[in-house]
């Protein structure tokens, strides 16, 4: 299981709107993700299944949303070099949620963790639209799009079994899945 490293020393400055912080934040995340992904190649020899909570390619979503043209030029050059080192996943799962539930979840997270920086609501909308656009056009690997606004893991094993059934049934292309609600 690979979980994205969340500690980025530039993130607070980025959310505060400090000039240059978007570029620093982006490079830090890009290099950290690349380091994690290249370390996976070595462990792939010993494990059959690896689950990662992010797709390296989605790094570009943030870059295009947050960087100015000069920063984006440098970023694209670096990204192209780094992406050559990485293998494509066998399957990508996009957990899709409309903007309003995302905003609600972020407000709940902020109340539970007041020390965590949080993006403004307009940025959340723009980011969500960018994710939807990216995955609508994504064709590099099989893609399972799971609409999560009504999904709750507390529903028990039936809901998770149904999701696993969707995963096992994946072939090529894109499949959209809306979990049953209780």
């Amino acid at each position: 299981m690979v979980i994205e490293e969340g500690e980025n020393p530039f993130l607070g400055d980025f959310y505060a709107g400090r000039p240059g912080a978007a570029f620093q934040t982006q490079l830090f995340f890009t290099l950290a993700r690349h380091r994690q992904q290249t370390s996976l190649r070595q462990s792939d020899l010993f494990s059959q299944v690896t689950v990662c909570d992010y797709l390296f390619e989605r790094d570009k979503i943030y870059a295009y949303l947050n960087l100015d043209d000069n920063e984006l030029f440098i970023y694209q050059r670096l990204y192209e070099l780094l992406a050559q080192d990485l293998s494509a996943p066998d399957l990508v799962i996009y957990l899709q949620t409309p903007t309003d539930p995302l905003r609600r979840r972020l407000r709940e997270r902020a109340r539970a963790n007041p020390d965590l920086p949080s993006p403004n609501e307009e940025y959340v909308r723009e980011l969500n639209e960018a994710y939807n656009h990216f995955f609508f056009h994504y064709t590099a690997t099989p893609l399972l799009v799971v609409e999560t606004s009504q999904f709750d893991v507390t529903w028990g094993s039936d809901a998770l079994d149904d999701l696993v059934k969707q995963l096992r049934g994946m072939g090529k292309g894109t499949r959209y899945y809306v979990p049953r609600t209780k």
Side-chain angles (χ1 to χ4, degrees):
M1 180 75 146
V2 178
I3 305 294
E4 182 172 35
E5 297 172 359
E7 295 297 320
N8 185 325
F10 305 104
L11 196 57
D13 288 340
F14 167 69
Y15 286 143
R18 188 181 64 72
F23 189 61
Q24 294 169 332
T25 302
Q26 186 68 45
L27 290 183
F28 186 91
F29 274 133
T30 301
L31 293 171
R33 291 172 186 139
H34 180 264
R35 186 182 69 249
Q36 279 188 317
Q37 293 290 310
T38 54
S39 70
L40 287 178
R41 286 190 310 196
Q42 296 166 0
S43 66
D44 282 349
L45 298 172
F46 305 105
S47 63
Q48 293 180 348
V49 176
T50 301
V51 176
C52 185
D53 80 335
Y54 65 89
L55 175 67
F56 188 77
E57 287 181 66
R58 69 101 202 239
D59 193 73
K60 293 185 285 187
I61 294 171
Y62 293 90
Y64 283 93
L65 195 59
N66 298 319
L67 303 181
D68 67 31
D69 289 344
N70 291 327
E71 294 167 337
L72 195 54
F73 178 77
I74 295 168
Y75 167 82
Q76 286 175 316
R77 296 255 166 136
L78 178 64
Y79 179 88
E80 289 168 8
L81 287 171
L82 297 175
Q84 294 175 15
D85 297 340
L86 307 178
S87 303
D90 296 324
L91 170 68
V92 172
I93 302 168
Y94 171 42
L95 303 177
Q96 183 183 49
T97 304
T99 301
D100 287 339
L102 279 178
R103 287 177 177 154
R104 186 184 73 247
R105 291 173 186 171
L106 284 170
R107 283 191 296 270
E108 290 168 3
R109 184 186 79 167
R111 280 193 294 274
N113 303 296
D115 294 336
L116 287 178
S118 61
N120 70 46
E121 293 196 358
E122 179 60 21
Y123 181 74
V124 172
R125 183 193 61 73
E126 290 176 11
L127 185 58
N128 198 32
E129 287 177 7
Y131 262 88
N132 286 329
H133 179 81
F134 176 83
F135 282 108
F136 183 78
H137 296 283
Y138 182 83
T139 59
T141 65
L143 172 66
L144 176 62
V145 179
V146 181
E147 205 291 335
T148 65
S149 63
Q150 301 299 316
F151 188 76
D152 186 345
V153 294
T154 63
W155 290 345
S157 62
D158 288 346
L160 293 177
D161 290 345
D162 195 42
L163 179 57
V164 169
K165 179 180 172 186
Q166 298 299 316
L167 292 171
R168 289 195 174 129
M170 281 299 298
K172 294 182 179 183
T174 300
R175 176 182 288 178
Y176 293 89
Y177 171 62
V178 178
R180 295 176 282 163
T181 58
K182 282 237 171 188

